[in-house]
Amino acid sequence: QLASQIAQIHTIYEVDKVKTEIALQSAKLYQTKGVAIVAIASVALCILILILIRRNSTLKERKNKKIYEQYILIKSYLDDIHAKRSDTTNSAKKYLIETEAFKKDITRDDLALTLGTNRQYLTESIREVTGKTYRDFLNGIRLEYAYNMLLTDVHASVEQVYNASGFASRSTFNRLFRLQYEMSPNEMREMARHREEEIHNSQL
């Protein structure tokens, strides 16, 4: 009877051992399934993220391309306008110098009519290209002429110079000349005379 009990206990032990092994195998299997599911989900998530990134990148590239095309179109349009206004400004300066119209009190309307444009467009062109008003633009040409005259015609008086340059007032001429060249017309005249004397002495 003792042997029978021992056999029963051994059988129960073996059964429990098998059950334990089965339970462990099942646990490992569930664990493996869990890891596999997590891995698959992670891969799927990564693929989804990559798809979204690529999609967004494609949309961004298209948007940037469209913006760039619009920028090129606008830039071309603005460059064309600036070129036309530069031509108008250059034509205005060329006309004023070649005809010496700057020596007269030529108005914006008169100059615009001569150039075949209108007063507003002429004024806007000069301001955009030079940053000056029409009056400052005209006086700038007069000052350049006066500057060259002071340097080359040392025998002309300052009064003769500003009258020949188109200025009606000596005070206005002196003020604008100093602003432009950081010296008075008299100082410029003296400098020119000294330079002429030096050249003359060097030739003796």
Side-chain angles (χ1 to χ4, degrees), residues 8-64:
Q8 288 179 350
I9 291 171
H10 180 71
T11 301
I12 292 171
Y13 170 77
E14 290 296 330
V15 170
D16 288 341
K17 183 179 179 181
V18 170
K19 286 181 178 180
T20 300
E21 289 178 356
I22 292 172
L24 289 172
Q25 291 295 331
S26 297
K28 288 181 179 180
L29 180 61
Y30 283 124
Q31 185 178 8
T32 302
K33 286 183 179 179
V35 171
I37 291 172
V38 170
I40 292 171
S42 298
V43 171
L45 181 60
C46 290
I47 293 172
L48 179 61
I49 291 172
L50 290 173
I51 291 172
L52 291 175
I53 290 174
R54 181 162 185 174
R55 179 174 175 273
N56 290 336
S57 178
T58 302
L59 292 175
K60 189 175 180 180
E61 286 177 4
R62 289 177 182 173
K63 184 178 180 181
N64 288 340

Side-chain angles (χ1 to χ4, degrees), residues 149-150 153-154 156 161 185-193:
M149 191 173 176
L150 285 168
D153 189 357
V154 295
V161 171
N186 283 325
E187 289 170 338
M188 177 67 72
R189 164 50 44 79
E190 288 303 314
M191 184 182 73
R193 284 176 177 167

Side-chain angles (χ1 to χ4, degrees), residues 49 105 131 166 172 182 198:
I49 291 172
D105 192 19
T172 300
E182 298 183 349
E198 289 175 357

Side-chain angles (χ1 to χ4, degrees), residues 110-197:
D110 293 337
L111 182 56
L113 183 63
T114 300
L115 297 175
T117 184
N118 60 69
R119 168 179 172 169
Q120 182 178 356
Y121 185 80
L122 175 64
T123 302
E124 290 175 354
S125 297
I126 290 172
R127 185 183 296 277
E128 181 179 321
V129 176
T130 68
K132 297 178 179 179
T133 64
Y134 171 76
R135 178 58 56 183
D136 290 338
F137 174 71
L138 182 60
N139 283 335
I141 295 174
R142 290 169 173 168
L143 288 170
E144 288 178 10
Y145 183 85
Y147 176 87
N148 290 327
M149 191 173 176
L150 285 168
L151 289 180
T152 57
D153 189 357
V154 295
H155 300 294
S157 66
V158 172
E159 184 176 5
Q160 289 174 322
V161 171
Y162 79 76
N163 282 328
S165 303
F167 288 99
S169 166
R170 179 164 184 164
S171 60
T172 300
F173 171 63
N174 287 339
R175 177 174 57 83
L176 295 179
F177 193 92
R178 184 177 289 277
L179 283 174
Q180 180 76 14
Y181 299 107
E182 298 183 349
M183 65 175 67
S184 70
N186 283 325
E187 289 170 338
M188 177 67 72
R189 164 50 44 79
E190 288 303 314
M191 184 182 73
R193 284 176 177 167
H194 284 311
R195 188 185 68 174
E196 188 177 79
E197 289 175 0

